Amino acid sequence: MEFTLNENQQMIRDLARDYAQNYLASRVDELEEADKFPDDLFQVMADMGFISMNFPEAYGGMELGYVATSMAIEEISKVSGSAGTVLTVTLLPLEAINPYGTEAQKQKYLIPGLQGQWKGSFAFTEPGTGSDPKQLTTIAVKTSEGKYKISGVKRFISNAAYEGPIVLFAKEAETEACTAFILDKFCKGYSLSTPWDKVGFQGSHVYDVFLDEVEVTEEAILGQHGQGFGILIGATTYGKLAFSAVFTGSIGGAYELAVKYAKEKLHRGKPIGKFPTIQTKIAQIAANALSAQLMLYKSAEDADTIKDDIRKVQCSTAQLKGYIADLAVETNVMALNVMASYGVTKEYQIERFVRDSLIAPNIEGAADIQRLIAGSYILRH
C-alpha cells in the first residue's frame, strides 16, 4: 500500500491549488455577495481541464480517473464550496451521457460540455420523491406521431437557469417504466421557479423545473426504455463521490483557517495555540480531515478499479457520503469554536464553511439513506 501520488495526480492537485489560490480566492467575497458564480471563473475551470479529467480522449477528455478528479474538487472546495459544487453538478449529467448516450448524443452534448460551453442539469427529484422511481409524477405520454410529451415538476435542480441539456427522468404512461430523457433547457414548455434561498453554497442555485407538455422525439431517450433507474444509480454513484470531495475540501479549508487563527491570535502575549484546550481541538480537527481524505481517496480508487460491479462501487461511495456528511458539520463547527466569538463573523470566513457543511447530510442522498445502502450491501456480501 502506497500513500504517494502518481505524476498525473500530483499535476492535477497542483493545478487545482493554483486555480483556487490565484483565480478563486480573491473573488470568493464577490461571488458570495452577488450570489452568482462568475462566468469567467467557470471558463477558466474548463480551460484548465477540471471538467474533462475523467472522460474519454475521443471526446476531448483526459482519462485521468476519479482519484485525480476528486483531488481537484477537494482543492477547489478548500477555498470555495460553491465553486466545488458548480463543478460537481456540471459533471453529473456528463456522467450519465458518457456511458449511456448514443454517438449522436455524445457529439451534440458531451464534446461541448467538456469544453465548458454549457452547464447541464440532472433532474430526478420531485416534490414527492427523491429516490423512488415508483413515486415519479412526471409523465411521458407517447403521441400518435411517435413523439413524447413530458409533463411534471422537478425540484431542487441545479444549473436549471443556464443554457444546456437537462437529463430528466419520467414515467412512461403506457408502461409505467422509468425512462431517462435528454433535452435542451428552455425548449417550449420548460419554465422555472425563482431560485430557492439556501443556507449555503451561494452562487450555486437550485430551482423547481416546470415541464408543460415538453415534446421530444425517440432520439431524446438516454439509454433504453425503462433503464432510467439504472442510469440514476450509475450517475449518482459517482455524484456521491464528487459531493464527498466538496465536503472533504470544506473540512480541509476550515482546518487551515483554524490553525492560522490559533497561531496568530494572542492572549496575554502568546498565541492561543499554546493552550491545551486549543491544541486538543486542533488535533481532533486534523484527525477528522485526514480520515475524510483517506476515505475519499479509497472510494475514488474503487470507482477507478471496480468495473464489473456498480453496486459495490455504490456501497463504497454511499458509505463515504454518509460518513463525511456528518463529519463535515461536526468538524467545521469545532473549527468555528476555535475562533470563539470571531468565528461567527463573516470577516473570518469560517462561518461560510459551517453554512455550506449544513447542506452535506441532505444533498445527493440523505446521509441516513446512504448508510442503509451501504449496510444492506455489506450484509448481503
Side-chain angles (χ1 to χ4, degrees), residues 38-96:
D39 291 337
D40 62 312
L41 282 181
F42 180 79
Q43 193 55 56
V44 172
M45 192 184 286
D47 293 343
M48 289 180 127
F50 299 132
I51 299 174
S52 59
M53 284 183 294
N54 194 42
F55 293 90
E57 291 182 1
Y59 301 101
M62 301 164 69
E63 298 188 18
L64 294 178
Y66 287 105
V67 173
T69 302
S70 298
M71 287 179 175
I73 296 171
E74 178 196 1
E75 290 298 326
I76 291 169
S77 301
K78 283 182 180 179
V79 172
S80 169
S82 295
T85 300
V86 167
L87 175 56
T88 295
V89 298
T90 299
L91 292 173
L92 192 54
L94 294 167
E95 287 284 3

Side-chain angles (χ1 to χ4, degrees), residues 23-44:
Y23 291 89
L24 183 59
S26 64
R27 299 181 65 183
V28 170
D29 290 340
E30 171 195 335
L31 76 89
E32 288 281 321
E33 289 296 325
D35 196 12
K36 185 179 188 302
F37 194 78
D39 291 337
D40 62 312
L41 282 181
F42 180 79
Q43 193 55 56
V44 172

Side-chain angles (χ1 to χ4, degrees), residues 195-212:
W196 285 81
D197 192 7
K198 309 185 309 302
V199 67
F201 288 154
Q202 305 306 309
S204 176
H205 297 141
V206 294
Y207 300 80
D208 283 359
V209 174
F210 305 112
L211 307 161
D212 183 12

